[in-house]
Amino acid sequence: MGDTFFNIQHGYLEGIVRGIKSHLLGASEYANLSQCETLEDLRLSLQATDYAPVLTADIGNLDVRELEDRLRTHLVDEFNEVKRNSSEPLTTLLNYIQHGHMIDNVVMLLLGTLSGKPVAELVAKCHPLGRFPNMGTIGIATNSSELYEAVLIDTPLAPYFKECSITEEKLDELNIEVIRCVLYKSYIESFYDYCQGLGDTTAEIMAELLKLECDRRAMTISLNSLGTGLSKDIKESLLPARGHLHPYYLPELAKIDDVEQLKTIVEGLPEYKGIFDDGEENLEDKLIQKEVHMCIDSFLHQFHYGIFYAIFKLKQQEVTNLIWIAECITQKSRHKIETCIPHYP
């Protein structure tokens, strides 16, 4: 789409999104938050930020759960405002953002019911961006075929589930994690292909962001599958085939027997040189930091859809940061606050 047509159709929403970005917490705000000794101090510190309307004085005894609910509500309100005013192809891109949360919700519900937790309690904990009708009926499924036929066939996740091999295997913890990987692989590959079809700057920006997401999942799956007994073929079938690790390195990742082999493979790519310098336990943090910088850099370009993906990634990370800070305060571990991953406008 040409710049003029993009501005006519999506200029208003681009302005909203750039406004949201300008209100992200900066270095000074994070410095103030790190000095808070109670959750009430935290609430008062956030009164001078974009979160003031959802953290009013009438909350009463604020706890971490209440704080998380209110921060998520604020995020969802911003997302819904953008989506309500969107038109194609932006609406579909926003739908894709929600699909990732739907997958996480499905897996959380399955694992929770497997552990005997009440379905109503689990549904309440689901991410609001990933809610869909009939979520509460997921607990009735005893195998993957029933899960698809009874629940997922009428949801946006159906196309992703159809592409995996539906079996009658009982839903245990390992099989549920395999289902998560299969759904996410199909989802992220479909999302990548959709963005490439949009062309121009959107294709370039989203290609790098989604390649990083594919590689993150490939590394995580390779690490978590060590010692599980999964065959090389099954492991390889779970790895998203759109990242920098595709196609040459994915077969090697599926064969690794230890972390050192993973390091050797991954650090052979210039995009991930030195990613393991602080050890594999900090791998996720390093990848998040990389993603945060890429999302911020996407705002240096104009007239593309990548900023809509980037802003909600940044907002989700900001909510995660605030919850981490609140947890540190509650557990009297304020020295750990600095380990959160802030991003600056």
Side-chain angles (χ1 to χ4, degrees), residues 191-203:
F191 194 4
Y192 180 94
D193 293 344
Y194 176 76
C195 291
Q196 291 309 291
L198 297 178
D200 301 325
T201 306
T202 297

Side-chain angles (χ1 to χ4, degrees), residues 31-67:
N32 291 336
L33 293 173
S34 69
Q35 302 303 312
C36 295
E37 297 185 357
T38 66
L39 292 186
E40 179 60 16
D41 292 341
L42 181 69
R43 187 189 70 80
L44 290 174
S45 291
L46 291 173
Q47 287 301 299
T49 73
D50 205 35
Y51 294 104
V54 295
L55 295 176
T56 53
D58 62 354
I59 295 177
N61 293 323
L62 180 66
D63 58 23
V64 176
R65 177 64 188 277
E66 177 71 15
L67 176 66

Side-chain angles (χ1 to χ4, degrees), residues 319-331:
V319 170
T320 299
N321 293 343
L322 292 173
I323 297 306
W324 173 256
I325 292 171
E327 291 282 8
C328 290
I329 292 171
T330 302
Q331 297 175 20

Side-chain angles (χ1 to χ4, degrees), residues 20 51 54 68-84 98 101 126-131 312 315-316 319:
I20 295 173
Y51 294 104
V54 295
E68 182 176 11
D69 287 345
R70 287 175 177 259
L71 295 179
R72 280 186 170 183
T73 297
H74 182 68
L75 168 64
V76 172
D77 287 346
E78 289 182 322
F79 181 89
N80 287 338
E81 179 183 3
V82 172
K83 189 174 181 181
R84 276 194 303 269
Q98 291 185 281
H101 292 290
C126 285
H127 197 291
L129 276 182
R131 295 186 184 277
F312 292 111
K315 288 291 291 187
Q316 288 171 58
V319 170

Side-chain angles (χ1 to χ4, degrees), residues 291-306:
E291 180 181 59
V292 163
H293 290 305
M294 290 171 64
C295 286
I296 291 173
D297 287 346
S298 72
F299 282 85
L300 299 175
H301 306 272
Q302 290 185 311
F303 310 121
H304 68 94
Y305 301 102

Side-chain angles (χ1 to χ4, degrees), residues 161-175:
F161 211 105
K162 277 170 63 176
E163 292 188 19
C164 69
S165 299
I166 306 294
T167 68
E168 293 294 337
E169 289 186 32
K170 183 179 179 181
L171 290 175
D172 57 24
E173 189 170 339
L174 179 59
N175 287 333

